[in-house]
Amino acid sequence: MSEISKAYEPQSVEDKWYRFWLDRKCFVADPARVSPRRPAYSIVIPPPNVTGVLTMGHVLNNTIQDILARKARMDGKEVLWLPGTDHAGIATQTVVEKALKKAGEIKHRDDWGREKFLERVWQWKEKHGGIIIQQLKKLGASCDWTRERFTMDEAYSRCVQKAFVELYKKGLIYRGKRMVNWCPATQTALSDEEVVMKEQKGSLYYFKVEVVDCSGAVSAPPSGNAAVTDRRYNEIKSTGVWLTIATTRPETIPGDTAVAVNPKDPRYAKFIGKHVVRPLPAELPRELKLIPIIGDEHVDFEFGTGVLKVTPAHDQADFEIGQRHKLPQIDIMHPNGHMNAAAGIGLNGLDRFKARKIAVELLTEMGALEKEEPYTNNVGFSERADVPIEPRLSEQWFLKYPSVEQARNCVEQEDDSAGRASPRAGSSAAEDGSRERSTHQQMRFHPQRWAKVYDHWMGNIQDWCISRQLWWGHRIPVWYPKSGSGACQSRDGSPADLHPRLHDIWCNINPPPDPENWEQDPDVLDTWFSSWLWPFATMGWPEQTPALKAFYPTSDLVTGPDIIFFWVARMIMAGYEFMGDPKFGLPDAKPFQNVYFTGIIRDKQGRKMSKSLGNSPDPLDLIGRHGADALRFGTMRSAPLGQDILFDEQNVELGRNFCNKLWNACRFRQMVGRADFPIQGEIDPKLLTADDKWILLKLDAAIREMNTAFAEYKFSDATATLYRFFWSEYCDWYVEASKAALSGGRRCESAQTEIQSGLMSAATEDEARKANTLAVIDFVLSHTLRLFHPFLPFITEELWHGMGYAEDMPDDQGGQTIMTAPWPKPLDDDFKSHYGLTGDDEKQIETRNELVSQGRNLRRNANIAANKKVNFILKPAREVTRHDVEVLKLLLNAESVEVKADYQPSKSTMTVRTESGDLFLPREGLIDVEAEKMRLKKELQKIDTDIARVEQKLANPNFVQKVPAEVLQEHQQRLAAWQAKRGHVTSALAALES
RNA sequence: GCGCGGUUAGCUCAGUGGUAGAGCACUACAUUGACACUGUAGGGGUCAGAGGUUCGAACCCUCUAUCGCGCACCA
């Protein structure tokens, strides 16, 4: 760093160092290096969608992971940060299909068929799959790229198949015809987690049906769509009674197979057992539309009219009523959400929403519609396709979740143990910056409130629909015999056997030996059925590989709370299920020690960032303009634990300014010279000034605060500490004060011998002090750079080398790269006593700084221009040295600071009194007496308020009796100080008035 | 309906019982001396409201208002 530029230019250093780290294999984890003295630390990345691009959410998430990984390396751990991407079934397939449609290549993926379409998805993946990885590298992510995984890698696919087969053999995976969440847009089943409820404004339609008596009904066993028409009645008698039914979905009337009332409802109980005539399809004769009135407790008498239409094939609750009463199911819809022939002539072929309108028209025409009221209800939407889902009977694969109890109990709840659950601020674990890694410790969520959400979900867990009617994904490893007798049922066939016992199927990770006689299940698995294996499938499971042995369970997981059920909960269950095998020798097979949930990044208006709103900044653009370190620092500073983040580019500008400040502080150090003489970088305790001691103590405090922040995962606290320490304490005070010592000496050459021979003159003392100051600066900067490194990896590496700090370190301890430099330890008692660091020094500087601030304030009030040098007079409260005076001159921008122990101020002298002494600013003839009086009166007023408040407290006998001694003492001291100040201000005021 | 989180300076947020804080924004002054991506000084707050506990409450408890999120859901 011979020629250092005036401003930090990130573009010129970032790529250079990233390549350096890659070339030196700094990110590569070696399981063989793990030992009791070099513990493992591991994180698996939440794999981004393979075709995605970097968003601010990724920046937040991955910056935190990188900070944790880099900190762990500096703590001397063997670190694995395992990266990779997710195939993201629906998302990717949809994107590719859309692109192909847009390009006019296809109208629908069926045009090409499965094989050709998949070929194109793979091509797309090859083309776009690397983008987000490259972007992560720009951010500085220190992932072990040699272990990059993709959820559809061959080895990974084998893991997915193995997991399926094992669970199938245990009887936890079954196939069944069930009511599922069906997405008519993508035409696949979805899990409950992929459905989001949205409030919809619609109508509640009231229509009437006639109650009839049908004597001599011959009940035939229900059989699918023909159920109703299979019934034959001898006679149908009108009763002249009509029931009114309220519904939001009149288009499903043709699928109704009963009308339900509450058996306890006095209005309707008497009708149970009679029938009504279903109004639709209009063209069917009455006798083919008779449906029974049944009694079911599910019906709420308060809602609507208290009469419920029951559509077992198109509503979850109705399906269950249908089960209880053995009602037939009439499927009236195609998989694409259009009505089928069973819906009747009027509706057949219409889209379900169009059909709703037409159904209302038909009811109106026949005089059945009584009224329509506006109504708002919650409707389930497909999260991906953003269309209302359709509850639909279909045959799917389901998973009864494994290891639920273990998974539920392994997460520490807030009331588990008050002691352990609370943050361990200042504890010994926090001080050395390491978290315990006992395998018997419960998993901990940060912030912990998510544990409750997790527990609630785990306690109400439903079987997971894992099959998807997509092409892009892992094929279900199940084959059916082609000539299939009982085992091979049509997918939308009937009857609805809810728990078919499937015999004669081939479920294996390998295809059957005689493939010509079998056909594979056409479906693929839910993407999350592969990602739930991520923490161990990426490390070589099912083999007990060195990586698994060394790095599983992982240390920390960093992810968004939006996927706590999708991913986190399932990974925990999978961990227990698949890593609990005794061959892995784990006392506790949980996948993580800690889970950190980030907030969600929003824009300044609090809206979630999204492509459609166009409110999501491009992180790469921000990196290009401000630098990766600036983006990281700004993001971290505005991201408190567990709170959503309102993103504003100003945060990044703050980060950029901060990097520039760091850069220039180092540049300043470079410009004032080398520390060779007389102490060669070693700090001489005898030559330390109070300012030196003060900054060392501040450094110590900063290190401790950083360790506490890390122990509590409070990254915004950590950045705030760094910001305050470096800018407000080091630059604003220490560097400014150090200029007094640095501008002092000149003749370095002869000073060393003179010091040794005890003949040190004032001049050579200046020289020695200058060198010592440089040594202190180097000490502070070399520690500071290390504290910054996890947050600002690029600029710290550049400065680490540029400043020459690398040269002083052993090769594997920072000599090659700051990445392996040891994380700073708090200054211990030996250090402090060797260098004579005491609270008195700290106090001395703090009161001195108070004096300086007030002196500057005096200047300001006297309307003295900031660049005008003036003469101050100091009446010190204790002994002052020549050096102290030099510092004061500098900090006050004074021409001189005259020390006069017996100074008597005249009328036109402005004064301040502090614990360090009294400071006078004589302004013969220049002072604005009235203005100064105003200022003093205002100050007096404030002092009086403060005094009154404390006096009131002290006058309270309860206060004096009950309060702890030190608090009482502190109040008394405060009162005394204010009273002294009051006396001073009063006399100053009196002097002006005399 | 149940649960969680928020409400503190113009804005974004820290602040676990003892003198209300930071950054940005704002005002004034300064500019060859590391840094204008800067420095110095300053203005600005009934800590959402009400009640309670306490010698003492932004902080603990209760209720209310309001914003956001999650879960469940009546057709």
Side-chain angles (χ1 to χ4, degrees), chain A residues 99-111:
Chain A
L100 290 171
K101 280 180 192 164
K102 202 176 167 190
E105 294 200 57
I106 52 168
K107 285 203 172 70
H108 189 268
R109 61 182 192 265
D110 286 339
D111 296 355

Side-chain angles (χ1 to χ4, degrees), chain A residues 388-517:
Chain A
I389 59 109
E390 194 58 45
R392 180 178 174 82
L393 266 180
S394 98
E395 191 149 2
Q396 302 289 344
W397 287 95
F398 295 90
L399 168 66
K400 188 172 160 51
Y401 283 103
S403 304
V404 174
E405 278 314 299
Q406 268 174 298
R408 187 178 180 188
N409 294 329
C410 74
V411 174
E412 187 172 284
Q413 293 291 325
E414 268 166 287
D415 49 6
D416 273 5
S417 149
R420 280 189 310 151
S422 60
R424 292 158 296 159
S427 71
S428 58
E431 300 219 333
D432 70 23
S434 65
R435 281 176 287 280
E436 286 164 49
R437 213 163 165 277
S438 150
T439 39
H440 288 289
Q441 201 180 301
Q442 278 192 289
M443 191 186 303
R444 202 175 276 171
F445 282 4
H446 308 267
Q448 202 171 24
R449 59 189 154 83
W450 292 108
K452 198 169 173 176
V453 177
Y454 171 82
D455 185 66
H456 182 257
W457 189 78
M458 291 297 290
N460 294 280
I461 201 163
Q462 304 291 317
D463 289 358
W464 176 12
C465 175
I466 53 173
S467 45
R468 297 289 177 274
Q469 288 66 53
L470 304 172
W471 289 348
W472 177 243
H474 300 96
R475 277 296 274 275
I476 291 177
V478 168
W479 286 258
Y480 309 107
K482 263 185 185 161
S483 52
S485 47
C488 191
Q489 301 181 12
S490 72
R491 300 184 55 71
D492 275 302
S494 54
D497 181 0
L498 289 170
H499 299 285
R501 296 175 61 86
L502 296 169
H503 304 290
D504 304 326
I505 75 162
W506 178 270
C507 177
N508 195 288
I509 59 171
N510 297 309
D514 52 339
E516 64 283 2
N517 295 325

Side-chain angles (χ1 to χ4, degrees), chain A residues 116-151:
Chain A
K116 185 169 177 196
F117 180 77
L118 281 179
E119 212 171 278
R120 288 299 290 264
V121 184
W122 276 107
Q123 280 174 17
W124 182 279
K125 183 256 169 190
E126 295 309 325
K127 192 171 164 198
H128 297 90
I131 293 176
I132 198 158
I133 297 298
Q134 291 312 313
Q135 292 178 320
L136 284 171
K137 291 177 179 174
K138 286 275 177 200
L139 187 65
S142 60
C143 303
D144 183 351
W145 300 108
T146 66
R147 291 178 186 273
E148 186 183 337
R149 297 288 184 267
F150 173 52
T151 52

Side-chain angles (χ1 to χ4, degrees), chain A residues 686-975:
Chain A
K686 294 193 297 293
L687 293 170
L688 286 177
T689 65
D691 283 294
D692 294 333
K693 294 177 182 179
W694 178 80
I695 198 61
L696 290 171
L697 286 166
K698 288 294 171 194
L699 172 66
D700 176 52
I703 294 169
R704 289 170 199 272
E705 283 175 46
M706 290 293 286
N707 287 344
T708 301
F710 267 106
E712 295 174 11
Y713 293 81
K714 290 186 173 172
F715 304 105
S716 62
D717 284 14
T719 49
T721 293
L722 289 172
Y723 193 99
R724 185 211 66 227
F725 167 71
F726 191 70
W727 202 311
S728 309
E729 292 168 356
Y730 178 75
C731 291
D732 288 352
W733 287 106
Y734 181 73
V735 171
E736 292 308 317
S738 75
K739 286 175 182 172
L742 295 172
S743 63
R746 269 154 296 150
R747 301 190 329 254
C748 309
E749 319 79 43
S750 58
Q752 187 163 26
T753 46
E754 289 181 45
I755 290 167
Q756 282 164 352
S757 55
L759 297 169
M760 193 153 57
S761 66
T764 53
E765 188 186 327
D766 284 350
E767 288 305 326
R769 177 155 291 157
K770 173 176 173 179
N772 207 48
T773 301
L774 291 176
V776 172
I777 288 177
D778 283 336
F779 183 88
V780 173
L781 284 180
S782 70
H783 279 70
T784 305
L785 287 177
R786 283 181 269 162
L787 292 174
F788 279 128
H789 175 71
F791 300 85
L792 310 172
F794 295 107
I795 189 175
T796 51
E797 187 75 278
E798 173 76 10
L799 290 169
W800 185 251
H801 291 266
M803 299 294 289
Y805 299 143
E807 293 159 25
D808 298 339
M809 313 291 277
D811 262 11
D812 60 345
Q813 297 272 303
Q816 295 290 321
T817 161
I818 192 171
M819 279 186 65
T820 55
W823 181 255
K825 289 190 170 54
L827 308 183
D828 59 24
D829 290 345
D830 285 350
F831 184 100
K832 286 181 186 171
S833 80
H834 179 68
Y835 290 103
L837 311 182
T838 66
D840 288 348
D841 301 303
E842 206 169 355
K843 175 89 182 173
Q844 185 191 325
I845 294 302
E846 243 122 70
T847 56
R848 195 274 320 272
N849 289 350
E850 173 66 21
L851 180 113
V852 170
S853 289
Q854 292 207 28
R856 288 164 171 172
N857 181 264
L858 271 192
R859 294 177 56 114
R860 182 74 212 118
N861 280 300
N863 269 323
I864 296 167
N867 60 340
K868 167 104 174 144
K869 293 201 184 265
V870 290
N871 298 313
F872 279 97
I873 292 152
L874 174 68
K875 192 173 171 181
R878 48 167 188 78
E879 204 186 331
V880 292
T881 64
R882 191 169 54 89
H883 174 76
D884 294 334
V885 173
E886 287 304 310
V887 173
L888 281 176
K889 266 170 69 180
L890 205 71
L891 295 179
L892 288 165
N893 194 24
E895 179 64 36
S896 70
V897 174
E898 222 176 316
V899 180
K900 287 187 177 171
D902 52 358
Y903 182 73
Q904 291 300 321
S906 72
K907 183 179 165 184
S908 57
T909 297
M910 299 175 76
T911 66
V912 291
R913 172 169 292 176
T914 72
E915 286 182 60
S916 270
D918 298 350
L919 192 67
F920 304 96
L921 180 58
R923 296 293 293 153
E924 296 298 342
L926 293 174
I927 187 169
D928 180 340
V929 177
E930 284 313 307
E932 180 64 359
K933 271 168 74 178
M934 283 291 279
R935 181 182 75 86
L936 291 173
K937 277 180 183 165
K938 203 176 156 193
E939 199 178 338
L940 199 58
Q941 214 166 36
K942 187 178 174 299
I943 293 170
D944 282 341
T945 318
D946 290 338
I947 287 176
R949 201 166 0 162
V950 184
E951 274 179 339
Q952 201 178 4
K953 276 189 177 182
L954 289 169
N956 184 340
N958 278 322
F959 178 81
V960 181
Q961 269 168 24
K962 294 186 182 176
V963 100
E966 70 270 17
V967 175
L968 181 63
Q969 203 188 350
E970 195 229 306
H971 276 74
Q972 285 164 339
Q973 282 170 357
R974 205 191 303 159
L975 180 62

